[in-house]
Amino acid sequence: VAALQGAISNIDPRLARVGQVIGPDRVVITGSEMETYLRDWSGDGRGQALAVLRPATVGEVQACVRVCAETGLGIVPQGGNTGLVSGTVAEDGRDIVVLSLSRLNRIRAVDSANLTIDADAGCTLQAIKDASEAAGCIFPLALGAQGSCQIGGNVATNAGGINVLRYGMARDLVLGVEVVLPDGRLWNGMSGLRKDNRGYDLKQLFIGSEGTLGIVTGVGLKLFPRPENIETAYVGAASFEAAMSLLAVARRACSDMITAFEVMGSECLAMARLVDPAVVPPVGQNTPVHIIFELSSSRLIDARLLIETVLSEALASGVAIDAVVAQSQAHARAFWAIREDLVEGQARRGYHVRTDVSVRLGDVPGFIAAARKYIETQWPAWISQAYGHAGDGNVHFNVLPPENLAESEARRLGADVTAGLYDIVRAFGGSISAEHGIGRSRRDVFWAGLEPVQRNMLAAIKSAIDPQGLMNPGCLIPLAKEKT
Amino acid sequence: VAALQGAISNIDPRLARVGQVIGPDRVVITGSEMETYLRDWSGDGRGQALAVLRPATVGEVQACVRVCAETGLGIVPQGGNTGLVSGTVAEDGRDIVVLSLSRLNRIRAVDSANLTIDADAGCTLQAIKDASEAAGCIFPLALGAQGSCQIGGNVATNAGGINVLRYGMARDLVLGVEVVLPDGRLWNGMSGLRKDNRGYDLKQLFIGSEGTLGIVTGVGLKLFPRPENIETAYVGAASFEAAMSLLAVARRACSDMITAFEVMGSECLAMARLVDPAVVPPVGQNTPVHIIFELSSSRLIDARLLIETVLSEALASGVAIDAVVAQSQAHARAFWAIREDLVEGQARRGYHVRTDVSVRLGDVPGFIAAARKYIETQWPAWISQAYGHAGDGNVHFNVLPPENLAESEARRLGADVTAGLYDIVRAFGGSISAEHGIGRSRRDVFWAGLEPVQRNMLAAIKSAIDPQGLMNPGCLIPLAKEKT
């Protein structure tokens, strides 16, 4: 212990104080051990930090934060590190530590009468989902990283995913948060109440603030009764216009039981085939738009009849040109595998332009058409990939560089490709971040696009809650702007 | 005009500047005209103000606010003035003006493809609902005051009502806000996007802040397809425990199609009979708990069969002891009339203790039992009334004073009755304001119950956004505490 403590002290005497309060074995300083904490899933850059702190309790988190506040160490709070916008990847590590919540991984309580779950921030999303299912309920947040991402990170970044259409973003699923504030004080904002109109809704500040206002250490979440019937259809449509018409018809016909409405341009199938060369989509693979459409219901509702009726009407009216309803869970999983494989396939291609755009529902086809035309005319050797959560107006319009292009050159040009896409987003009044957040990789374009009044409000809130600017410095708000 | 301008100037020279920018006829100073702006629906007190400003455009609101900011006039923003917690009733009117949004009453746009509506803050909730219906959609917020209350006030107070169980509070229905900030600048936070994860979600600050951070001048709201089938049942249960069991069973059985689940203790029927002496409830009137249970669905779902199946199972299992499904819209309206009449009947009784409590769903029966016992033992001449939005854990536990008690004495004792009820709420970990807000009438008890860390955060946000403390002074935050 003394040797460890000495090694820590050699790196930075401030770390020695942290080691004294949480134990030197919880202060990670060796390069190989630190490496996984310094890159997020995007692989877009490697961060810097003096050390990684791994407290095991809320009290230890407070103790770490107090030392940092007293000694001027910046803190990058980190959950599963599955973000895509470098929100956990500090640019300058001289006065920075990463604080990992991984050891805070206890399910605190499941209350099936209240339809709530309380948990430590470091529980994986999958652990939350499993504990909910064990109580006959569901926690509906669902996204690719759910086995690794942590619920505190989901809340801090207001995560989205495939079930937002029915259940909302993480924000909509949070009833309470417990937060260690930048001075080390604990705010217990956990009530389990479904309605509570007492003053400013402080939890909203922390949800989606990407760790820049405090460290979420605990969350209270809404659960829902587990649907007994799930029906999944794979539908082909002639265009994104037709796909959005199907969505409108389906929403009107199915009350609020549509749990997912994912669209994929046919060009995405090639990416799925990189992962599974044998993949054959359930509808003709040249069908311009592929749709995965899922309904969930209680046992008293015949979800199969409902989805078949909706699809029959859609085929009769020409809104859909082909449709297959999954006949088994395995069949449904095969549909979803195509959606998952296309993401994995893009990753295997290496660097690519990745966007996370939202526009008004009626603008989804127009945005995709404009973006495709831009790539075809301005970047003819690059390949568009249009897919996403169409039910929310959220399009992941990605662009693959030419295969023979060196990565460094692709990244350099990719920045220009992205800038052009963001111009199109702006022209549609859309958002450059529907669900992934701002982090560091979108920070400058975000900040440049703000009206002064918005910048002032963001900076005022940051200063009000984190006057020293020690919480996730450089994330979301430019470093030099924090104090203005 | 000159005479008007002179009269305004005589009241306060600062008002003359306002008169110059919005016209002196928009500055109300005569007592009789001002009176309706100085009392809210609770009738709990009369406010004070130098004048009532009635700007007609967003630009005029900005002009008023700029003058106030420059001359140190506090502003009480006011919508339909239907609040119940004196949020619009200033205690000290020497440096205060009321700013009414009534003239800003334009529906800006209905986008049925995007399922959104944009509107001026001064539109009544009913006008929003009507415009939505005309487009084949619904805006689901529903509450007793909907013909008079204004949507800006609904958003500023995070209004609740009878459909929260399915659709959430006002907060959950807001996609964007337009706000005049305390310095007169306009923040346009209207995007119409269903997913937007760009930085702090600033609109959340203004929702539920009761006009203490700025003036909401415009709102963008989510709409839903209009349900084609609505089924309403009136159910009798032997206890609140049984009622909550019915809720749990029904939620599990009906997916998310339950739009209302209102409970009333049988004692409330006497209040309904004050309004309609002929009222006969559809279930035995001595049935301990009366429930109005409503389902809404699209045309492809047989809502009648669904509600009948749920109720049959509930009757068979003993969770319900009697149930009637409305056979016509008129029949359903008669059910709802009982619920509305009991509120009106209490109002006719004059002053009564009015609470707006929430507890965890599983605690609803225990809370009501404890509150009733408290009244029976401590205030035996007073009469409990337990009803509310049980689906959200929101109980309006009201208490009628003895009929022969003078109002002033009833109000004096009522404060003690309320304090005792709030002790019980606290023991259950509940909220003293589920949906009505804090305003001025609950401010001191709210503030006294806060942890220092919460007070600091509230005060820090208030100071960050409204450093002069001119927005709705004394509402939600004690006057002396604003600058701490």
Side-chain angles (χ1 to χ4, degrees):
Chain A
V1 171
L4 272 176
Q5 189 67 32
I8 293 167
S9 195
N10 282 344
I11 303 277
D12 192 305
R14 295 174 291 184
L15 294 178
R17 284 190 57 191
V18 178
Q20 278 158 12
V21 291
I22 66 169
D25 56 324
R26 299 270 173 73
V27 180
V28 178
I29 50 168
T30 53
S32 56
E33 265 191 276
M34 282 175 67
E35 198 60 30
T36 58
Y37 299 93
L38 298 180
R39 282 181 192 276
D40 72 7
W41 270 26
S42 71
D44 281 341
R46 184 178 176 283
Q48 305 285 333
L50 292 173
V52 177
L53 313 185
R54 305 196 64 206
T57 65
V58 174
E60 287 188 1
V61 175
Q62 291 184 263
C64 290
V65 173
R66 274 194 296 264
V67 172
C68 292
E70 286 164 22
T71 61
L73 273 175
I75 300 171
V76 176
Q78 191 172 100
N81 204 16
T82 61
L84 294 170
V85 292
S86 300
T88 55
V89 179
E91 291 142 320
D92 178 345
R94 280 173 296 179
D95 291 305
I96 291 284
V97 291
V98 170
L99 190 149
S100 167
L101 279 303
S102 297
R103 286 184 190 266
L104 280 77
N105 60 0
R106 193 170 50 93
I107 302 288
R108 297 184 185 179
V110 181
D111 181 342
S112 56
N114 199 41
L115 290 168
T116 50
I117 186 169
D118 293 346
D120 286 353
C123 290
T124 62
L125 174 53
Q126 191 63 54
I128 301 284
K129 293 172 83 76
D130 290 346
S132 305
E133 293 249 356
C137 301
I138 59 163
F139 178 65
L141 195 69
L143 39 90
Q146 67 194 34
S148 312
C149 64
Q150 293 171 13
I151 193 67
N154 296 145
V155 169
T157 59
N158 188 27
I162 57 170
N163 289 341
V164 173
L165 178 60
R166 162 102 167 248
Y167 296 105
M169 304 279 282
R171 184 181 304 279
D172 302 296
L173 299 169
V174 174
L175 288 177
V177 291
E178 176 193 81
V179 178
V180 174
L181 297 174
D183 60 5
R185 287 188 299 173
L186 189 69
W187 173 52
N188 179 358
M190 306 273 279
S191 75
L193 303 175
R194 307 191 93 74
K195 261 171 127 172
D196 188 4
N197 230 358
R198 286 177 291 179
Y200 307 156
D201 191 357
L202 295 172
K203 69 175 177 291
Q204 304 294 348
L205 276 179
F206 300 99
I207 301 169
S209 66
E210 306 187 23
T212 62
L213 298 175
I215 302 176
V216 173
T217 53
V219 299
L221 305 166
K222 285 184 206 170
L223 302 180
F224 294 81
R226 186 172 52 207
E228 283 104 340
N229 301 325
I230 299 177
E231 296 294 339
T232 312
Y234 198 104
V235 185
S239 65
F240 282 106
E241 283 82 356
M244 297 310 283
S245 295
L246 173 62
L247 171 69
V249 166
R251 280 203 66 176
R252 193 161 285 282
C254 302
S255 291
D256 291 333
M257 289 186 286
I258 304 175
T259 36
F261 194 91
E262 295 289 310
V263 297
M264 303 170 271
S266 57
E267 71 279 8
C268 299
L269 274 290
M271 288 299 103
R273 274 193 296 273
L274 286 185
V275 177
D276 178 4
V279 75
V280 178
V283 305
Q285 66 183 46
N286 294 324
T287 308
V289 181
H290 296 229
I291 301 161
I292 299 177
F293 166 31
E294 195 168 274
L295 270 186
S296 304
S297 84
S298 56
R299 77 188 148 85
L300 293 180
I301 292 157
D302 189 339
R304 173 64 64 93
L305 179 63
L306 182 58
I307 201 166
E308 287 177 349
T309 306
V310 169
L311 292 173
S312 299
E313 292 181 6
L315 289 165
S317 70
V319 162
I321 55 182
D322 200 355
V324 179
V325 176
Q327 298 300 310
S328 66
Q329 286 188 24
H331 199 187
R333 277 198 299 273
F335 295 174
W336 280 110
I338 295 172
R339 173 69 174 80
E340 290 152 15
D341 287 349
L342 86 86
V343 176
E344 173 67 14
Q346 289 178 101
R348 290 198 191 171
R349 272 287 305 260
Y351 168 78
H352 54 279
V353 169
R354 194 190 311 108
T355 72
D356 164 39
V357 159
S358 64
V359 292
R360 296 170 79 95
L361 295 179
D363 287 334
V364 167
F367 167 76
I368 292 173
R372 281 175 166 174
K373 189 170 173 205
Y374 159 69
I375 298 300
E376 280 162 20
T377 56
Q378 304 294 310
W379 304 91
W382 295 56
I383 303 166
S384 296
Q385 302 278 303
Y387 65 98
H389 318 298
D392 316 308
N394 183 185
V395 181
H396 295 304
F397 192 92
N398 295 351
V399 195
L400 309 171
E403 290 207 58
N404 52 356
L405 200 64
E407 182 178 326
S408 59
E409 182 69 0
R411 285 187 181 269
R412 196 180 64 77
L413 295 173
D416 295 337
V417 174
T418 305
L421 289 172
Y422 285 175
D423 286 342
I424 298 168
V425 173
R426 264 188 291 276
F428 278 91
S431 169
I432 62 162
S433 179
E435 59 177 13
H436 294 167
I438 296 297
R440 290 175 178 81
S441 51
R442 295 176 182 162
R443 178 195 59 209
D444 294 342
V445 63
F446 162 65
W447 201 258
L450 293 178
E451 305 275 332
V453 66
Q454 287 172 288
R455 283 186 210 162
N456 292 162
M457 279 198 283
L458 290 169
I461 291 161
K462 173 75 174 172
S463 291
I465 306 294
D466 178 24
Q468 288 194 85
L470 294 179
M471 298 307 306
N472 213 356
C475 180
L476 213 162
I477 298 176
L479 279 168
K481 301 282 170 53
E482 269 170 20
K483 301 296 176 56
T484 63
Chain B
V1 170
L4 271 177
Q5 189 68 30
I8 294 166
S9 195
N10 283 343
I11 303 277
D12 192 307
R14 294 173 293 184
L15 295 178
R17 284 190 57 191
V18 177
Q20 278 158 10
V21 292
I22 66 168
D25 56 322
R26 299 270 173 72
V27 181
V28 178
I29 51 168
T30 54
S32 57
E33 266 191 276
M34 282 174 68
E35 198 59 30
T36 57
Y37 299 93
L38 299 178
R39 283 182 192 276
D40 72 7
W41 270 25
S42 72
D44 280 342
R46 184 177 177 283
Q48 306 286 333
L50 292 175
V52 177
L53 313 185
R54 304 195 65 206
T57 65
V58 173
E60 287 188 1
V61 174
Q62 290 184 263
C64 290
V65 173
R66 274 194 297 263
V67 172
C68 293
E70 286 164 23
T71 61
L73 274 174
I75 300 172
V76 176
Q78 191 172 101
N81 205 16
T82 60
L84 295 169
V85 292
S86 301
T88 54
V89 179
E91 291 141 320
D92 178 345
R94 280 172 296 179
D95 290 305
I96 291 283
V97 291
V98 170
L99 190 149
S100 166
L101 279 303
S102 296
R103 287 185 189 265
L104 280 77
N105 60 0
R106 193 170 51 92
I107 302 288
R108 298 185 185 178
V110 182
D111 181 343
S112 56
N114 199 42
L115 289 168
T116 51
I117 186 169
D118 292 347
D120 285 354
C123 291
T124 62
L125 174 52
Q126 191 62 55
I128 301 284
K129 294 171 83 75
D130 291 345
S132 305
E133 293 251 353
C137 302
I138 58 163
F139 179 64
L141 195 69
L143 40 90
Q146 67 194 36
S148 312
C149 64
Q150 293 171 13
I151 193 67
N154 296 145
V155 169
T157 60
N158 188 26
I162 56 170
N163 290 342
V164 173
L165 178 60
R166 162 101 167 248
Y167 297 104
M169 305 279 281
R171 184 183 302 281
D172 301 296
L173 299 169
V174 175
L175 287 178
V177 291
E178 176 193 81
V179 178
V180 174
L181 297 173
D183 59 6
R185 287 188 300 173
L186 188 69
W187 173 52
N188 178 358
M190 306 272 279
S191 75
L193 303 174
R194 307 191 94 75
K195 264 171 125 172
D196 188 5
N197 230 358
R198 287 177 290 179
Y200 306 157
D201 192 357
L202 295 173
K203 70 175 177 289
Q204 305 293 347
L205 276 178
F206 300 98
I207 301 169
S209 66
E210 305 187 26
T212 62
L213 298 176
I215 302 175
V216 174
T217 53
V219 299
L221 305 166
K222 286 185 205 170
L223 302 179
F224 294 81
R226 186 172 53 207
E228 283 102 341
N229 301 325
I230 300 177
E231 296 294 339
T232 312
Y234 198 104
V235 185
S239 65
F240 283 106
E241 283 82 358
M244 297 310 283
S245 294
L246 174 61
L247 170 68
V249 166
R251 279 203 65 175
R252 193 161 285 281
C254 301
S255 290
D256 291 333
M257 288 185 285
I258 304 175
T259 36
F261 194 91
E262 296 290 309
V263 297
M264 303 170 271
S266 58
E267 71 279 7
C268 300
L269 274 290
M271 289 298 104
R273 274 193 296 273
L274 286 185
V275 177
D276 177 5
V279 75
V280 178
V283 304
Q285 66 183 47
N286 293 324
T287 308
V289 181
H290 297 228
I291 300 162
I292 299 177
F293 167 31
E294 195 169 274
L295 269 185
S296 304
S297 83
S298 56
R299 76 187 148 85
L300 293 181
I301 292 158
D302 189 339
R304 173 65 64 93
L305 179 63
L306 182 59
I307 202 166
E308 286 178 349
T309 307
V310 168
L311 293 173
S312 299
E313 292 182 6
L315 290 165
S317 70
V319 162
I321 55 182
D322 201 356
V324 179
V325 176
Q327 299 301 310
S328 66
Q329 286 187 24
H331 199 187
R333 275 197 300 272
F335 295 175
W336 280 110
I338 295 171
R339 174 67 174 79
E340 290 152 14
D341 287 349
L342 86 87
V343 176
E344 173 66 14
Q346 290 177 101
R348 291 199 190 170
R349 272 286 308 258
Y351 168 79
H352 54 280
V353 168
R354 195 192 308 112
T355 73
D356 163 40
V357 159
S358 63
V359 291
R360 295 170 79 95
L361 295 179
D363 287 334
V364 166
F367 168 75
I368 292 173
R372 281 176 166 173
K373 189 170 175 206
Y374 159 69
I375 298 300
E376 279 162 21
T377 56
Q378 304 294 310
W379 305 91
W382 295 56
I383 302 165
S384 295
Q385 302 278 303
Y387 65 97
H389 319 298
D392 317 308
N394 182 185
V395 181
H396 296 304
F397 192 92
N398 295 351
V399 195
L400 308 171
E403 290 207 57
N404 52 357
L405 200 63
E407 182 178 326
S408 60
E409 182 68 358
R411 283 186 182 270
R412 196 180 64 77
L413 295 174
D416 295 338
V417 175
T418 305
L421 289 171
Y422 285 175
D423 286 342
I424 299 168
V425 174
R426 263 187 291 276
F428 278 93
S431 169
I432 61 161
S433 180
E435 58 177 14
H436 294 167
I438 296 298
R440 291 176 178 79
S441 51
R442 296 175 181 163
R443 177 195 59 208
D444 293 343
V445 64
F446 162 66
W447 202 257
L450 294 177
E451 305 275 332
V453 67
Q454 287 172 287
R455 284 186 210 163
N456 293 162
M457 278 198 283
L458 290 170
I461 291 162
K462 173 75 174 170
S463 292
I465 307 293
D466 179 24
Q468 288 194 84
L470 294 180
M471 298 307 307
N472 214 355
C475 179
L476 212 161
I477 298 176
L479 279 168
K481 300 284 170 50
E482 269 172 18
K483 302 296 178 55
T484 64

